Amino acid sequence: MSRATTEQPSGDTLEADVVVVGAGPAGSSAAWTLARSGIDVAVLDKAEFPREKVCGDGLTPRGVKALGDLGVDTSGWVRHRGLRVHGGGQVVEVDWPRLSHWPAYSLVRRRSDLDATLAAHAAAAGARLHTGVTVTDPLLDDAGRVSGVRAVAGPDSRPVTWRARLVVSAEGLSGRLAKSLGLVRREDRPLGVAVRRYVRTPRTADDYLDISFDLSTEGPTAASMPGYGWIFGMGDGTANVGFGLLDTRRSSGEDPRGTLRRWLTTLPADWQLTEENAVTPLRGAGLPMALHRQPAYSRGLLLAGDAAGAVNPLNGEGISYAMETGRMAAETAADALDRREGLAREAVLRRYPARLRTEYGHHHRLGIGLLALLRNPAIVRFATAHGLQRPALVSAALRLMGNLTDGRDGDAVDRAMSVLTRLIPAV
Ligand SMILES: Cc1cc2nc3c(=O)[nH]c(=O)nc-3n(C[C@H](O)[C@H](O)[C@H](O)COP(=O)(O)OP(=O)(O)OC[C@H]3O[C@@H](n4cnc5c(N)ncnc54)[C@H](O)[C@@H]3O)c2cc1C
């Protein structure tokens, strides 16, 4: 596997046309796109690659497409043909839809490998990758516009200043740069939380990814929990096993770690998903959803991926959206840098939040609405008990949740989804 190369900054002040903060999927996609446009781009990450990222490691067909668009070679990666959905005591296997815009398979890849591959891919395209560099603050000019970043680099935390014409924040959930410009999280958007660990299990190689809505049997609110458990076979003797709660405002109050542990005890003994077979600690992180930090452009700073809150509120998927928004931020930056400095450039940059809203706003509105419905335990019980008896309905629901459609060019399900999402105003 290719590995990210490391270039240590020398001297106290360095320059690039664009500085990208964070070399996760959002940052590496942004850096790759900028480098391919011939723009001098530096991508800074506090970690050394490969590094762990707490994640389910699942790349839906949307994620597979985003990797293909970047030209990443995924041959040999573990593939799945669909989902095995558990709910209301029933189990149904649903293949990924056959669509013209999206591949009909998903992939799993440990994030330590995926992110190192993406960072190396960006570096190979010409991006200057600097690892072990922790960005601390935006650098502001006299007009209060972002003109670079301040950072500390290396084991001795040497102060470094990076000057840039534009900065892309792809630093994940923390959104430190955005916060320092006053771009705080919108409280009216859902925030999820997810936990996961790797467990040694015979269910490591499977054509289907398991997801379960049968998480709880206890308490009056338990059945209405808007979330699911997953078992993603990694093909290496282990599975990535986790639980994601899609909206912490609508939780039963139980710690997600407790939910996961309890759910695992309800699974068949021969799956061996026991505490003793765990090979990593149980770790968790937040899922920032529905573009919760706005505007996604302000004063020379563009937000992408989790920093912009790009996770899909209907399924908790964030890798594909990180790659997509990373590319869109980079395309916007490249277009802007082509214009004369001043109003013309600023006008291009200010269109970036509207582009994200056009792309995702309708789907996010739908997601927020459906999450609100899941507050009602009767609806959840009815949907799992009756819905899973109809595989075609499950398939349509998964397409909707996964935002996988050919739009108006597609079949009847696609056309219905297109009408539904267009009828709903964007958020
Ligand atoms: C338990 C869990 C399971 C999940 N499962 C899935 C899944 O199966 N499929 C899916 O699609 N999504 C999943 N997600 C969501 C997904 O992990 C994120 O949406 C995705 O990682 C976002 O990518 P990103 O590039 O925006 O940010 P990140 O992947 O978080 O990358 C941010 C990068 O910025 C660097 N950084 C941070 N701060 C600084 C700083 N100050 N200076 C320099 N560098 C900095 C970090 O080191 C990191 O490399 C899951 C999330 C969780 C918590």
Side-chain angles (χ1 to χ4, degrees):
M1 192 203 70
S2 50
R3 293 284 181 216
T5 53
T6 301
E7 187 189 331
Q8 284 303 323
S10 55
D12 291 333
T13 302
L14 297 126
E15 284 187 19
D17 283 336
V18 181
V19 161
V20 176
V21 181
S28 291
S29 303
W32 181 87
T33 308
L34 285 159
R36 295 271 296 192
S37 311
I39 289 170
D40 174 32
V41 52
V43 53
L44 317 179
D45 202 293
K46 63 183 180 186
E48 302 288 351
F49 289 84
R51 58 102 178 89
E52 186 193 14
K53 160 75 179 90
V54 178
C55 187
D57 303 325
L59 290 147
T60 67
R62 199 175 180 103
V64 178
K65 176 166 188 317
L67 286 169
D69 290 346
L70 290 183
V72 175
D73 179 8
T74 60
S75 44
W77 294 20
V78 174
R79 285 186 183 201
H80 295 88
R81 60 186 286 182
L83 293 167
R84 185 180 300 112
V85 186
H86 306 244
Q90 302 167 75
V91 183
V92 57
E93 281 175 2
V94 188
D95 285 1
W96 292 113
R98 302 210 160 268
L99 300 169
S100 47
H101 294 177
W102 309 97
Y105 64 92
S106 50
L107 295 166
V108 289
R109 192 76 176 165
R110 277 192 189 236
R111 286 293 299 275
S112 48
D113 289 339
L114 175 73
D115 291 18
T117 300
L118 289 174
H121 192 63
R128 290 187 277 151
L129 174 67
H130 296 269
T131 55
V133 179
T134 302
V135 170
T136 53
D137 302 287
L139 188 68
L140 300 179
D141 66 14
D142 292 345
R145 190 184 162 80
V146 177
S147 56
V149 294
R150 289 202 181 82
V152 289
D156 54 348
S157 296
R158 183 166 35 92
V160 188
T161 298
W162 277 90
R163 296 192 177 281
R165 294 198 281 165
L166 289 170
V167 174
V168 176
S169 162
E171 68 209 275
L173 179 64
S174 76
R176 183 194 295 229
L177 290 176
K179 273 190 225 156
S180 46
L181 291 196
L183 302 173
V184 289
R185 183 169 92 75
R186 285 184 60 149
E187 299 290 336
D188 60 341
R189 302 295 155 101
L191 176 72
V193 65
V195 294
R196 73 92 174 96
R197 74 188 334 174
Y198 296 99
V199 183
R200 209 174 303 108
T201 170
R203 289 180 78 82
T204 184
D206 193 326
D207 278 346
Y208 292 88
L209 299 162
D210 283 286
I211 62 169
S212 176
F213 298 100
D214 281 340
L215 294 169
S216 178
T217 50
E218 293 157 28
T221 54
S224 69
M225 199 159 35
Y228 61 89
W230 71 79
I231 303 164
F232 293 170
M234 301 302 296
D236 61 356
T238 69
N240 181 319
V241 175
F243 163 65
L245 178 68
L246 296 174
D247 191 346
T248 48
R249 298 169 306 177
R250 305 188 209 290
S251 84
S252 62
E254 189 182 36
D255 172 19
R257 288 177 168 74
T259 307
L260 177 67
R261 286 202 167 99
R262 194 168 31 68
W263 171 58
L264 292 179
T265 64
T266 67
L267 299 177
D270 61 356
W271 295 10
Q272 300 177 18
L273 296 169
T274 57
E275 201 68 36
E276 303 75 64
N277 286 333
V279 290
T280 58
L282 187 50
R283 296 191 59 200
L287 299 168
M289 296 171 163
L291 299 176
H292 79 173
R293 198 171 276 124
Q294 295 184 0
Y297 169 74
S298 179
R299 293 186 274 150
L301 182 75
L302 295 134
L303 312 183
D306 277 11
V311 171
N312 176 350
L314 274 173
N315 66 0
E317 171 184 1
I319 304 171
S320 52
Y321 298 97
M323 288 192 280
E324 289 175 12
T325 54
R327 285 196 74 176
M328 284 189 263
E331 284 162 8
T332 304
D335 189 7
L337 291 178
D338 250 4
R339 317 289 167 113
R340 190 196 293 266
E341 193 171 356
L343 288 179
R345 180 176 295 175
E346 202 57 22
V348 170
L349 293 164
R350 288 206 176 138
R351 285 203 285 274
Y352 174 64
R355 184 170 175 196
L356 296 186
R357 190 164 176 265
T358 305
E359 201 70 42
Y360 306 121
H362 296 278
H363 193 258
H364 287 164
R365 167 70 80 187
L366 188 70
I368 292 168
L370 285 175
L371 284 179
L373 273 183
L374 294 182
R375 214 177 347 180
N376 184 333
I379 293 180
V380 177
R381 272 195 293 270
F382 182 84
T384 44
H386 298 277
L388 285 190
Q389 288 169 5
R390 295 170 181 79
L393 195 62
V394 179
S395 170
L398 292 173
R399 272 161 81 167
L400 187 66
M401 288 165 71
N403 201 3
L404 291 171
T405 164
D406 283 340
R408 274 173 278 191
D409 307 335
D411 61 9
V413 174
D414 281 334
R415 288 195 298 278
M417 276 167 61
S418 171
V419 170
L420 186 64
T421 43
R422 292 293 136 195
L423 281 176
I424 295 169
V427 286

